[in-house]
Amino acid sequence: MHKRDLLIFCLAFAPSARGAPPPFINGHTNGGGARNAASYMPPSLAAGAIAQGSLFSLFGSALGPATGVSVSAFPIQPSFNGVSVAVTQGSTTVAALPVYVSAAQLNLIMPSKAPLGRVIIQVTYNGQTSNLAPATVVGSSFGIFSVAGGVGPGIFTDYLSASVPQVINSLTQTAAPNQTVTIWGTGLGAVPADDVAPTAGNLSAETEVFVGGVAASIQYHGRSPCCSGVDQVVFTVPASAPLGCYVPVAVRTAGTTVSNVATMAIAAKTGGPCSDNFNALEKPILAGQSTGVVSLDRVATTVDVILLDGGSETTTDYASAAMFKPTPGQFFFHPLISLPPQGTCTAFTADYDLLNTLYFPAEVADGQLLDAGSPLTLSGGGSAASSGSAPILYNQLLGGTSTATNVSFSSPLFFNPPAAVTVSAPGGADVQKFSVSVPTSGTLQWSNQDSLETVTRSQPLTVSWTASGVTNATVLIAGDNFDTPNTASSMFLCAADASAGTFTVPAWAMSNVPATASNATVVTGFVVLGLAPLGSPTTFSATGLDTGFGFYIPWIAQSVIWQ
């Protein structure tokens, strides 16, 4: 992503070739289909369409040469290294322009003259044609390039002065309020010619930028003169933008279509250290310290929509833990650790159910899981067995209760708030034995839960609560829906000071959450609140760890219909 050539912000690396001719395009689920080359948004989501003139990617097998090759000069030709790609709607066919070709991945420019609406894409490689792949072409649908393929730190360049080259924003190169910053992405729309070096100038698509939820003033929104298909959005960091290491940034075009959310680091002074004081986990992990995390979670779930079985109230107790040594870096990101500043929201998309699997689209960058032995034991007779051989993760359902006739638990609820639970590990190859007493004193009441059975995504969503029993706590607000036929989901995650008692989720954060199908028979949509004592967790120590944290987090999940 640091090459100063035609593909400066396209993906420069692709998986090794698999399969044999004829070429095959993967289906639109599980990472396949035509994808915005910056966001990789699942095609079925609102911002998953491909904009005229934008860069998009196809994945599959035998699509091109075994060794990837990039275009390096203008004009860009409709055939490159034996690869050509046709985009067809009815009797109209236009040629997508290949800019990177390999056996497993193609990066292409969707022609600015491509017909709008549903199209069919077909690859030809060395005279053999692929299967047909559907896609949707729109006037604009922006994606932000990021370090980790659509999530985490984005490719934002900070303007320092006319005599100093712009630098990529990072944890060590922060921006400041009122500073000029450039977003690199693709999807602002059509231009007169795609095959030659672009001419600078604003494009017609209405463009908005939100920095930590605050609208920013925009100085430019058009093609980068360097690169066909690559766009720049130049904005000023709002004076009221929140400070933090992971401030969410989103771009909205045409008043409705919201990009993937990437993050940038903002400090009071340009280049100064970023911090999120509400989150005690962040500082030691960014410093690369060996860290242990023990989490005790009570989840109370209400299902009272799509009532084929009469609805249910289910409460479960879980214990989970991980010991790990992250590799620090200027672009470190982990969704469960790199939280947005209090008062803001971020969003994720994936080809699986984000909320129910709790498997986020990123991992600890270059991190190492540590072995503390198995099993973890909990006072009162509970235990959390390891997931297998080292490196070890721990996760255990401890017990539960439910009014659903088809749900049963072998053990009752384990926690007895506010009584503390002692969690002990026997010690292993990396971390010696430890014991930590975690109080279960936090309580959370969701005041307007009963009014949220139906959520209109185009309108702000206000939630209110009462929290007690903890200090320096954060209420985490999440919402998600899973598009089962297309195996795609979108989830927003917001952080709020627990003492505020209320928070309003902006409409843009919900824009890619799929609507609930009118014929749905299974509940797949939820809004969730959790009370996390991130600012004052219980701490513990052990040989092999630099620091350890224990949390008790009560969660409330409400089933919803997304409209």
Side-chain angles (χ1 to χ4, degrees):
M1 300 186 71
H2 302 287
K3 294 180 179 179
R4 300 189 64 83
D5 62 9
L6 181 66
L7 298 177
I8 185 169
F9 289 117
C10 298
L11 288 178
F13 302 99
S16 59
R18 293 190 302 170
F24 180 80
I25 304 172
N26 290 344
H28 70 280
T29 60
N30 299 318
R35 303 271 173 143
N36 180 290
S39 70
Y40 298 107
M41 187 82 68
S44 62
L45 300 183
I50 307 301
Q52 293 172 318
S54 70
L55 289 166
F56 72 100
S57 299
L58 295 175
F59 299 92
S61 58
L63 297 174
T67 301
V69 185
S70 298
V71 168
S72 59
F74 293 109
I76 304 171
Q77 301 299 319
S79 180
F80 178 58
N81 273 56
V83 176
S84 60
V85 178
V87 179
T88 301
Q89 183 186 84
S91 60
T92 300
T93 297
V94 294
L97 300 179
V99 293
Y100 171 86
V101 296
S102 73
Q105 178 177 339
L106 304 178
N107 290 341
L108 311 118
I109 298 174
M110 178 63 70
S112 289
K113 295 182 180 180
L116 298 175
R118 203 67 168 164
V119 299
I120 295 296
I121 297 174
Q122 187 172 41
V123 175
T124 299
Y125 176 51
N126 286 343
Q128 298 206 57
T129 56
S130 73
N131 55 316
L132 304 178
T136 300
V137 178
V138 294
S140 64
S141 182
F142 193 73
I144 302 173
F145 285 109
S146 77
V147 174
V151 298
I155 302 300
F156 304 118
T157 50
D158 301 342
Y159 177 83
L160 301 177
S161 72
S163 61
V164 178
Q166 295 188 39
V167 294
I168 296 180
N169 182 276
S170 70
L171 298 174
T172 56
Q173 181 57 59
T174 58
N178 299 312
Q179 185 170 354
T180 299
V181 175
T182 300
I183 302 172
W184 294 81
T186 186
L188 289 182
V191 293
D194 300 303
D195 59 343
V196 297
T199 300
N202 287 326
L203 296 179
S204 60
E206 177 189 359
T207 304
E208 302 166 89
V209 174
F210 300 98
V211 182
V214 181
S217 64
I218 296 175
Q219 287 75 55
Y220 178 79
H221 55 98
R223 285 290 189 276
S224 166
C226 79
C227 320
S228 290
V230 175
D231 296 321
Q232 294 175 311
V233 180
V234 182
F235 70 96
T236 300
V237 178
S240 59
L243 307 182
C245 296
Y246 299 101
V247 178
V249 178
V251 175
R252 183 166 64 189
T253 58
T256 57
T257 305
V258 178
S259 70
N260 57 313
V261 178
T263 66
M264 67 178 297
I266 303 177
K269 181 181 179 180
T270 300
C274 65
S275 64
D276 293 291
N277 292 331
F278 75 95
N279 183 3
L281 278 170
E282 183 180 271
K283 186 175 180 179
I285 289 175
L286 293 184
Q289 294 184 6
S290 296
T291 304
V293 178
V294 173
S295 183
L296 307 178
D297 299 84
R298 169 162 287 184
V299 184
T301 303
T302 298
V303 175
D304 53 7
V305 299
I306 312 177
L307 300 177
L308 298 182
D309 59 358
S312 64
E313 301 276 351
T314 302
T315 304
T316 49
D317 287 343
Y318 294 89
S320 59
M323 317 295 145
F324 54 94
K325 182 175 179 57
T327 300
Q330 61 179 332
F331 298 115
F332 175 90
F333 182 77
H334 187 292
L336 293 177
I337 297 165
S338 310
L339 297 174
Q342 287 184 338
T344 69
C345 299
T346 190
F348 303 96
T349 61
D351 292 283
Y352 44 83
D353 191 345
L354 278 163
L355 193 60
N356 282 345
T357 61
L358 293 180
Y359 179 81
F360 285 80
E363 298 177 354
V364 177
D366 300 320
Q368 175 190 357
L369 288 169
L370 304 177
D371 179 8
S374 182
L376 291 185
T377 57
L378 286 75
S379 58
S383 66
S386 73
S387 60
S389 59
I392 289 178
L393 292 168
Y394 308 87
N395 187 51
Q396 185 68 45
L397 170 65
L398 301 174
T401 181
S402 179
T403 61
T405 57
N406 61 341
V407 176
S408 62
F409 297 94
S410 58
S411 300
L413 289 171
F414 186 87
F415 306 137
N416 183 28
V421 174
T422 299
V423 181
S424 303
D430 304 306
V431 178
Q432 294 190 16
K433 66 179 181 179
F434 67 83
S435 182
V436 55
S437 180
V438 182
T440 60
S441 54
T443 61
L444 179 66
Q445 295 179 317
W446 187 348
S447 307
N448 64 336
Q449 179 181 357
D450 293 342
S451 66
L452 298 181
E453 293 180 359
T454 299
V455 178
T456 301
R457 296 166 297 157
S458 61
Q459 300 297 320
L461 168 65
T462 298
V463 294
S464 56
W465 64 84
T466 300
S468 61
V470 290
T471 59
N472 300 318
T474 297
V475 168
L476 300 174
I477 304 120
D480 165 272
N481 196 24
F482 182 53
D483 177 1
T484 304
N486 294 299
T487 63
S489 69
S490 177
M491 169 182 163
F492 64 82
L493 176 64
C494 310
D497 187 333
S499 65
T502 186
F503 183 83
T504 298
V505 181
W508 67 259
M510 298 180 284
S511 63
N512 286 304
V513 175
T516 302
S518 59
N519 61 347
T521 59
V522 177
V523 174
T524 57
F526 288 89
V527 175
V528 179
L529 268 63
L531 177 63
L534 296 175
S536 55
T538 301
T539 59
F540 66 93
S541 60
T543 300
L545 293 179
D546 296 308
T547 186
F549 300 103
F551 299 92
Y552 170 70
I553 306 177
W555 300 90
I556 304 172
Q558 171 64 49
S559 63
V560 298
I561 293 174
W562 294 98
Q563 292 185 337

